[in-house]
Amino acid sequence: MKKYLVIGNPIEHSLSPKLHNYWIKKNNINANYIKKNINEDDIKSIISEVKDGKINGVNVTVPFKKKVIPFMDKLSPEANDSQSVNTIYIQNGKLIGHNTDISGFELGIKYCKYDISNKVVFILGAGGVVPSIILALKKMGAAKIIISNRTKNKAEDLKNFFDKIEIVDWGYTPNFDMIINATSIGLKNEDGIKLDFSSVGFNKFFYDVIYNPKETIFLKRAKLFGNKTENGKMMFIYQAHQAFTIWNKLMPDIDDETINLLDQ
Ligand code: ATR
């Protein structure tokens, strides 16, 4: 039986096992996908299990997407550009670190039919997923990307990789067409985003990378002020879809049943 896992800390919230095991069953594959809460020290032994063929593929989530990089034999161009690995597999005996968050985000946005081209996008947060989002936004033709993070120097660090991004103080609300919550605020139904909703206007696009809970306070409030909202569910599904396709050489369906599965 093939064995797949997602590693992270915390990991309880992850719906990856639910989605992957659903596709595994649907496609009659003899495999199992589990979640594993790990510490940084555990990365080495997990990687050697992948090399030994005891584990067939690994998804990586917060806070290890960068930390696994030194263990890889090779990075895909996407992983290299974002310095972020969320999917690990073996190819010709070599351990490959790949990133499916970039195209996951792009396909998720396309699914909800929002046109990024020439839009001003304001990102809250500067954590692991943000370089992937910036790369996807640039590819889709965003006019301007503004970033705000509680710890400002982490946002400033992103400038070393991406020129032309603008950094503003945490709590400052610039003009924008689209705003993305890429912080972990909202995972626990907490309210830590300082945004002046009344000055934002209406008809803006509010996107939350969080998909569990389904509607964060950030999205609830945006809706009350008459904005379009979307959570990170389709990004999550598309990034998983690509990992599954790489590992199993089989493209699973993304149908209503798949999409609804994550709401239960
Ligand atoms: P990491 O920063 O280790 O990559 P992450 O989950 O990818 O982890 O990122 C968490 C993001 O949420 C960060 O941008 C973090 O801001 P800091 O860099 O200042 O830590 C942000 N974040 C988490 N809790 C927050 C809070 N209560 N208020 C503001 N920002 C918060």
Side-chain angles (χ1 to χ4, degrees):
M1 183 187 269
K2 289 192 169 171
K3 188 175 164 189
Y4 299 95
L5 69 157
V6 55
I7 54 171
N9 190 350
I11 196 69
E12 293 71 35
H13 67 281
S14 174
L15 294 180
S16 290
K18 191 171 187 179
L19 182 55
H20 279 269
N21 286 319
Y22 167 79
W23 279 328
I24 283 170
K25 203 168 162 206
K26 270 250 151 169
N27 292 283
N28 296 316
I29 296 167
N30 186 20
N32 190 27
Y33 184 115
I34 58 164
K35 56 185 162 194
K36 198 164 178 160
N37 196 322
I38 66 156
N39 294 313
E40 198 174 340
D41 299 346
D42 301 322
I43 296 175
K44 202 174 172 190
S45 65
I46 288 171
I47 294 300
S48 66
E49 283 191 68
V50 181
K51 285 203 157 168
D52 295 345
K54 289 181 193 144
I55 297 172
N56 302 84
V58 181
N59 276 143
V60 185
T61 189
V62 174
F64 302 120
K65 290 184 183 188
K66 200 180 172 73
K67 295 200 169 93
V68 296
I69 289 179
F71 297 92
M72 301 296 117
D73 295 324
K74 201 178 150 196
L75 295 183
S76 69
E78 292 85 353
N80 189 45
D81 289 348
S82 59
Q83 285 296 296
S84 168
V85 165
N86 78 327
T87 302
I88 297 172
Y89 60 97
I90 293 272
Q91 191 178 55
N92 302 326
K94 295 248 179 290
L95 202 61
I96 314 288
H98 181 45
N99 175 313
T100 68
D101 285 330
I102 303 168
S103 51
F105 180 79
E106 183 182 354
L107 293 167
I109 295 294
K110 287 194 171 144
Y111 179 88
C112 59
K113 299 194 166 51
Y114 185 77
D115 182 8
I116 297 280
S117 56
N118 298 317
K119 299 290 195 321
V120 175
V121 185
F122 182 33
I123 303 176
L124 301 172
V129 77
V130 171
S132 302
I133 292 177
I134 296 173
L135 285 163
L137 289 171
K138 281 181 172 257
K139 188 173 167 223
M140 288 187 278
K144 192 172 173 185
I145 298 171
I146 308 167
I147 300 190
S148 176
N149 192 51
R150 178 181 59 180
T151 313
K152 197 174 180 181
N153 64 352
K154 271 171 72 183
E156 301 281 1
D157 286 347
L158 288 167
K159 279 200 132 180
N160 299 329
F161 297 96
F162 305 102
D163 50 350
K164 293 186 189 151
I165 56 172
E166 201 180 304
I167 312 297
V168 296
D169 285 340
W170 183 246
Y172 176 76
T173 307
N175 284 327
F176 59 81
D177 300 300
M178 175 187 187
I179 182 168
I180 301 170
N181 175 36
T183 73
S184 48
I185 303 170
L187 268 180
K188 295 184 197 124
N189 264 323
E190 61 195 300
D191 181 16
I193 294 175
K194 294 189 205 105
L195 189 74
D196 182 3
F197 281 81
S198 59
S199 78
V200 167
F202 55 94
N203 242 347
K204 303 288 165 66
F205 183 29
F206 279 65
Y207 186 94
D208 204 320
V209 171
I210 295 171
Y211 59 90
N212 184 17
K214 233 160 76 172
E215 196 171 57
T216 55
I217 293 170
F218 173 72
L219 293 187
K220 278 197 181 105
R221 207 169 282 168
K223 239 185 207 171
L224 282 177
F225 280 85
N227 298 287
K228 175 180 163 68
T229 63
E230 195 68 47
N231 70 13
K233 184 166 77 170
M234 292 313 297
M235 174 186 182
F236 169 72
I237 291 177
Y238 282 117
Q239 64 74 30
H241 186 254
Q242 288 168 70
F244 189 96
T245 304
I246 290 168
W247 292 333
N248 297 292
K249 299 185 175 50
L250 187 160
M251 211 182 275
D253 288 336
I254 299 178
D255 52 17
D256 287 349
E257 198 184 340
T258 320
I259 295 169
N260 294 335
L261 181 79
L262 301 180
D263 291 335
Q264 291 150 25

